[in-house]
Amino acid sequence: MNLEKTKVNTQIDDKLIGLFCSVVDVEALTHKCCTHLSTLVANGRVRNRLLRCAKYANRNKELILKYLNSQEFVYVCEEKCEFCKIKPESFSVLGAIKLGEEITSLGIKLYKKILDECSHTREKRMILNIIKEKIRQRDFFKKEEEFWENRGDKLGIVSSYCIPNIISSLWK
């Protein structure tokens, strides 16, 4: 993570800033991943939900960056993953859904850490709203995963790739 303090700021501590920066990375990755995954999924309803997740992720990223800028910090996103080099035909719908659930769960975990560290009411409200949306997204992914597993779509091609493990290990 690239982070530069432009002034000494006593409003929030470095640990909280680090968590916010991790969340920006997760949201950037979520946007990129869900947009890419939407191109791999033939089901229009699932594709639209993935695109909506990408839209929310981009909005959340911009919201957090705006907040960081208001705290007089400059943040530059980094590329974290090269998962998009996998050929589209190697993805199954079930694999796409599992990947979306993994990334969303990671985002929820980081936002909850921020909530624990945050002391200002304004920030807590912002984070709570994002967590609620992330939980709705995770529930969608879980429901879709259950549907595809019960349907018998057992290709599981994505399982042979370590994409979810790579993503979840980025912020450990």
Side-chain angles (χ1 to χ4, degrees), residues 41-145:
V41 175
N43 183 308
R45 185 179 64 83
V46 175
R47 184 175 44 249
N48 287 337
R49 287 297 295 261
L50 288 167
L51 288 171
R52 198 172 323 144
C53 289
K55 177 184 162 188
Y56 280 119
N58 197 46
R59 183 203 68 187
N60 293 342
K61 180 184 87 173
E62 294 303 319
L63 188 66
I64 299 299
L65 285 173
K66 183 178 175 183
Y67 172 74
L68 287 173
N69 288 337
S70 75
Q71 299 299 313
E72 300 176 347
F73 286 91
V74 175
Y75 181 77
V76 179
C77 294
E78 296 177 4
E79 284 297 317
K80 290 285 187 180
C81 183
E82 293 297 324
F83 61 87
C84 289
K85 292 187 185 219
I86 294 174
K87 294 178 185 167
E89 60 271 14
S90 68
F91 264 90
S92 66
V93 174
L94 180 59
I97 298 302
K98 285 183 177 183
L99 181 58
E101 182 185 349
E102 185 77 26
I103 294 170
T104 304
S105 295
L106 175 62
I108 291 169
K109 182 179 171 183
L110 287 170
Y111 279 115
K112 285 183 177 180
K113 283 183 180 180
I114 289 173
L115 195 58
D116 291 340
E117 295 289 326
C118 217
S119 60
H120 301 291
T121 307
R122 188 182 97 206
E123 288 85 5
K124 283 188 179 226
R125 255 183 292 164
M126 176 181 69
I127 299 304
L128 280 171
N129 287 334
I130 293 173
I131 289 172
K132 287 177 188 175
E133 179 58 38
K134 290 283 183 195
I135 289 172
R136 283 193 290 271
Q137 291 173 6
R138 185 187 59 197
D139 292 346
F140 161 74
F141 286 123
K142 284 183 177 181
K143 181 179 161 191
E144 286 299 312
E145 181 180 354

Side-chain angles (χ1 to χ4, degrees), residues 3-14 17 21 65-76:
L3 179 66
E4 298 174 21
K5 277 190 182 183
T6 56
K7 284 186 183 178
V8 175
N9 190 320
T10 57
Q11 290 182 354
I12 54 178
D13 66 9
D14 288 341
I17 289 293
C21 293
L65 285 173
K66 183 178 175 183
Y67 172 74
L68 287 173
N69 288 337
S70 75
Q71 299 299 313
E72 300 176 347
F73 286 91
V74 175
Y75 181 77
V76 179

